[in-house]
Amino acid sequence: MKRALTPGTFDPITSGHIEIISRASRIFDEVIVAVAASPKKQPLFSLDERVALAREALKGMPNVRVEPFCGLLVDFAREMDAHVAVKGLRAITDFEYEFQQTALNYQLDPHLETIFIMSSPEYMYLSSSVVREIASFKGDVAQFVPSCVNDALKAKFA
Ligand code: PNS
C-alpha cells in the first residue's frame, strides 16, 4: 500500500489545497492530510477547527483522511508509516522555502521522500493567508474555499 502525507497548516484549507490533495489521491492508495499545530504561526483557527474543516471539505474522497500532528513532520511520517510527503508548488516564490524544508527533512530522515505537484493556473496565487485577509475585510472568498470554510470565516469575522 502506497501511503502519502500532504502536510500543511491549513489555516484554513482552500480550494488550492483540495486540488493538490485530490490529485495526490489519484496517485497514492491512501493520503493522510497532516494538519500541523504550527503554534509559531498563531493560526486563526485552532488545530481542532482546522482538522474539522478539512474533514468536512474532504469527506467525498474515500482514500483521504485528516490527522493532526505536533512536532516534526519526519516523526509523524514514521508514526503513520508513510514514506512520501506531497506538497503543492505554486508560483516560483514558493520554491526557496520548499527547497529548504525538503533538504532539511531529507537530512532528518532520508526515508521520507518529498515530491511536488504544480498547482493549476487557477490556484497559482491562492493561499490561506490571502483568504484570511480578504475575509477579515468582509470580502467574498466563496470562489476560493469550500462552503464550510466560507461559513467558518464569516463566523470568525462577524
Ligand atoms: O502550510 P504550511 O504552513 O506552509 O506548512 C508547513 C509545514 C506544516 C508543512 C511545516 O512547517 C512542517 O513540516 N512543520 C512541522 C515541523 C517540522 O517538521 N519542521 C521542520 C521542517 S524542516
Side-chain angles (χ1 to χ4, degrees):
M1 139 110 57
K2 276 275 172 208
R3 180 180 291 137
L5 296 182
T6 54
T9 303
F10 302 104
D11 184 36
I13 191 165
T14 68
S15 303
H17 293 129
I18 293 168
E19 191 221 8
I20 299 296
I21 293 162
S22 164
R23 287 165 63 186
S25 77
R26 295 200 292 265
I27 300 170
F28 294 92
D29 299 313
E30 185 181 29
V31 172
I32 300 174
V33 177
V35 182
S38 300
K40 278 194 187 154
K41 294 191 173 176
Q42 298 188 291
L44 173 67
F45 291 98
S46 71
L47 182 56
D48 284 349
E49 288 172 326
R50 286 178 278 137
V51 167
L53 288 171
R55 284 189 178 145
E56 176 64 22
L58 300 167
K59 66 183 179 196
M61 296 184 201
N63 64 334
V64 174
R65 67 184 163 110
V66 180
E67 300 293 344
F69 79 102
C70 304
L72 289 175
L73 177 64
V74 290
D75 292 336
F76 185 65
R78 219 173 288 130
E79 196 185 309
M80 294 289 111
D81 195 25
H83 303 281
V84 181
V86 178
K87 308 281 304 271
L89 208 53
R90 295 165 302 183
I92 194 86
T93 44
D94 276 351
F95 184 78
E96 195 164 338
Y97 170 76
E98 295 296 351
F99 189 71
Q100 182 193 37
Q101 295 263 312
T102 301
L104 288 169
N105 280 331
Y106 189 74
Q107 269 188 268
L108 289 171
D109 186 351
H111 299 294
L112 181 67
E113 199 63 70
T114 304
I115 66 168
F116 292 90
I117 294 178
M118 297 289 295
S119 282
S120 68
E122 193 184 348
Y123 300 121
M124 204 55 99
Y125 294 99
L126 181 57
S127 67
S128 297
S129 57
V130 296
V131 163
R132 289 196 305 273
E133 180 164 338
I134 295 168
S136 74
F137 293 114
K138 310 254 189 291
D140 184 7
V141 293
Q143 60 182 314
F144 304 128
V145 295
S147 59
C148 60
V149 171
N150 194 18
D151 293 345
L153 283 165
K154 279 186 185 155
K156 226 15 135 185
F157 292 112

